[in-house]
Amino acid sequence: MGRTYIVEETVCQYFSNINLQGKAFVSGLLVGQCSSQKDYVILATRTPPKEEQDENLKHPKANLNDLDEEWATEHANQVSRMLPGGLLVLGVFIITTLEMGNDFQSTLRRLVFAMEKSINRKRLWNFTEDDVSERVALHICSSTKKIFCRTYDVRDPKSSAKPADWKYQNGLSASWLSLECTVHINIHIPLSTTSVSYTLEKNTKNGLIRWAKQIENGIYLINGQVKDEDCDLLEGQKKSSRGNAQVTSHSFDVKVLTQLLLNSDHRSTATVQICSGSVNLKGAVKCRAYIHSNKPKVKDAVQAVKRDILNTVADRCEILFEDLLLNEIPEKKGSEKEFHILPHRVFVPIPGSTVMLCDYKFGDESAEEIRDHFKEMLDHMIQVEDLKVAEEINTACISSSINSEASLDHIDDEHPQQPVETTVVLKIQQNIGVIAAFAVAVFAAGLSFHYFSD
């Protein structure tokens, strides 16, 4: 038996409002959440066409081979950044004319695999054996209104299409649960004499991979308690007359504790590493995850939070590096120092849902620019007043210092005071010299934790 997709009723209305306007087809993404029993689709968004592609699709002989796989994959990457923890790009949809009804399967299959591969390549975490690996390809015939729903196992390159059920439900995510936390980060990445020649982006990514292990192995307190991972997240809630748990609050507060050692049996010896510089990420990030209210498990909620922490830090760094490249700002050489502010997070609600999507904003970007980006990427109009800024910051700052003797503290004094509680600061120190990195052994009996949350 194939998978079942429970779909928000507004998605059906969205499909109905799409007009091909003489085009051979319209394609887009499906966004939602996986669970062991069924998957939930809460949003659909068409891929914005290129100008030249838009004209090509109106050609009478246009077919699915004209679908720009690279363009659609980049759209999936952009949308993936805008999803909080617990939400994924679940697959693709395509609306075609009747004449193209039998010509879609191989193209959609190729697109599904390409999207998944591209999105996974940039993640700091990996899927587990318990994760659902099937992705959906939905085909809608505009003439007959028939729906063909198939899934592919993206872990198996040779997998064939499997039929799946597609069922609409009103108010699907109106009672979903949110988990929120603030994570303070202070990541120090020493650069060896070899790695100092790498790009700033590569060195930062390597450092984040090591930090990600701390987040993965952390202890997560939900409303101040450590809960068994197999327990129901809503355990302890009052029961209604129908026997279902009454959700008194849609939101849970999460605090993160990270271990200084990976485990108590780990032996550490003092080491000295010859370094030529360092990269430091410091500040606080607002994290948010969502999970369905149909008997959610603690382990699924914690996993969603973990992945949002990792995603939001990695995405901010990637956006910064793209911005530096776009504006052709060269990296500093030699003993020069760089100081960059990472973009801060902005949330926006989905009408009729407790779920909020997100985007990232530099200090010099206007609310109207963020609104326009939401419209372009998600094909949904939002109001500027609906934007919820998670982390306030006054200005975006990119500055450098040639003084190799200056310390990081001195660099901070040369810049306007930044609200460290509300933003992430990326500081790069390229000091010529030797940095001795010492790892001190910690007794197995005394396991220390560093408190990452307010």
Side-chain angles (χ1 to χ4, degrees), residues 178-224:
S178 70
L179 301 103
E180 302 179 18
C181 71
T182 300
V183 176
H184 297 269
I185 63 173
N186 189 2
I187 306 170
H188 177 75
I189 308 168
L191 305 181
S192 68
T193 51
T194 301
S195 62
V196 76
S197 62
Y198 298 159
T199 64
L200 173 61
E201 181 175 5
K202 182 175 181 179
N203 282 323
T204 303
K205 181 68 177 291
N206 290 340
L208 289 179
I209 290 173
R210 294 190 292 271
W211 166 76
K213 294 178 181 178
Q214 284 186 299
I215 299 300
E216 290 282 5
N217 295 311
I219 294 176
Y220 290 74
L221 307 180
I222 299 178
N223 287 345

Side-chain angles (χ1 to χ4, degrees), residues 78-113:
Q78 293 289 328
V79 170
S80 183
R81 287 178 179 174
M82 305 172 78
L83 305 180
L87 296 187
L88 297 169
V89 175
L90 294 181
V92 299
F93 73 83
I94 190 163
I95 301 176
T96 70
T97 58
L98 182 62
E99 290 75 13
M100 296 180 64
N102 296 321
D103 191 30
F104 73 98
Q105 187 168 321
S106 61
T107 301
L108 284 190
R109 182 186 186 281
R110 187 173 65 249
L111 184 59
V112 166
F113 276 83

Side-chain angles (χ1 to χ4, degrees), residues 23 56 70 89 194 252 274 283 294 330 332 346 357 374 423 451:
K23 300 173 187 174
N56 290 339
E70 183 179 355
V89 175
T194 301
F252 292 85
I274 305 301
N294 183 22
K332 303 299 179 184
V346 181
L357 303 178
F374 266 104
T423 185
Y451 204 4

Side-chain angles (χ1 to χ4, degrees), residues 122-133:
K122 299 182 179 181
R123 287 177 174 146
L124 291 176
W125 50 271
N126 297 314
F127 282 109
T128 67
E129 290 298 322
D130 294 331
D131 280 303
V132 175
S133 59

Side-chain angles (χ1 to χ4, degrees), residues 332 335-338 399-404 406 410-411 414:
K332 303 299 179 184
S335 62
E336 295 182 84
K337 300 178 182 179
E338 298 180 57
S399 57
S400 63
S401 171
I402 303 177
N403 183 7
S404 62
H410 183 59
I411 291 298
E414 292 178 349

Side-chain angles (χ1 to χ4, degrees), residues 221-237:
L221 307 180
I222 299 178
N223 287 345
Q225 297 180 327
V226 177
K227 296 188 176 184
D228 186 274
E229 64 176 15
D230 292 321
C231 286
D232 192 321
L233 181 63
L234 299 175
E235 187 176 292
Q237 299 275 356

Side-chain angles (χ1 to χ4, degrees), residues 149-380:
C149 184
R150 296 175 174 84
T151 62
Y152 299 92
D153 186 346
V154 291
R155 283 191 185 139
D156 180 8
K158 298 180 180 179
S159 68
S160 56
K162 297 178 181 178
D165 291 329
W166 185 265
K167 300 179 180 179
Y168 290 107
Q169 178 180 315
N170 191 34
L172 173 63
S173 58
S175 60
W176 278 24
L177 313 173
S178 70
L179 301 103
E180 302 179 18
C181 71
T182 300
V183 176
H184 297 269
I185 63 173
N186 189 2
I187 306 170
H188 177 75
I189 308 168
L191 305 181
S192 68
T193 51
T194 301
S195 62
V196 76
S197 62
Y198 298 159
T199 64
L200 173 61
E201 181 175 5
K202 182 175 181 179
N203 282 323
T204 303
K205 181 68 177 291
N206 290 340
L208 289 179
I209 290 173
R210 294 190 292 271
W211 166 76
K213 294 178 181 178
Q214 284 186 299
I215 299 300
E216 290 282 5
N217 295 311
I219 294 176
Y220 290 74
L221 307 180
I222 299 178
N223 287 345
Q225 297 180 327
V226 177
K227 296 188 176 184
D228 186 274
E229 64 176 15
D230 292 321
C231 286
D232 192 321
L233 181 63
L234 299 175
E235 187 176 292
Q237 299 275 356
K238 293 182 179 180
K239 299 290 184 178
S240 67
S241 57
R242 295 183 179 181
N244 298 321
Q246 290 181 327
V247 182
T248 55
S249 173
H250 289 301
S251 180
F252 292 85
D253 177 64
V254 179
K255 297 186 186 301
V256 188
L257 304 176
T258 60
Q259 297 176 255
L260 293 182
L261 293 179
L262 295 180
N263 58 68
S264 59
D265 297 325
H266 177 78
R267 290 193 60 184
S268 177
T269 57
T271 59
V272 176
Q273 182 182 10
I274 305 301
C275 298
S276 299
S278 63
V279 175
N280 294 277
L281 280 80
K282 185 176 181 181
V285 292
K286 298 286 186 180
C287 303
R288 187 174 296 182
Y290 294 91
I291 191 166
H292 62 83
S293 54
N294 183 22
K295 298 180 180 180
K297 296 293 183 182
V298 170
K299 63 179 180 182
D300 296 326
V302 169
Q303 184 186 76
V305 173
K306 285 181 182 180
R307 291 177 177 178
D308 189 63
I309 295 171
L310 299 177
N311 286 345
T312 189
V313 173
D315 287 344
R316 292 170 203 244
C317 291
E318 186 178 30
I319 291 170
L320 172 65
F321 296 134
E322 288 176 356
D323 184 69
L324 295 178
L325 183 63
L326 184 65
N327 292 290
E328 298 182 339
I329 300 175
E331 292 187 17
K332 303 299 179 184
K333 304 297 182 182
S335 62
E336 295 182 84
K337 300 178 182 179
E338 298 180 57
F339 181 92
H340 303 291
I341 299 294
L342 294 178
H344 55 290
R345 205 171 193 182
V346 181
F347 288 96
V348 64
I350 299 177
S353 172
T354 59
V355 175
M356 300 183 80
L357 303 178
C358 70
D359 203 353
Y360 296 95
K361 177 181 180 296
F362 285 102
D364 58 351
E365 287 185 290
S366 67
E368 287 74 19
E369 288 178 281
I370 301 300
R371 177 198 62 195
D372 294 343
H373 188 244
F374 266 104
K375 179 66 173 70
E376 181 183 15
M377 291 295 107
L378 299 175
D379 198 25
H380 283 70

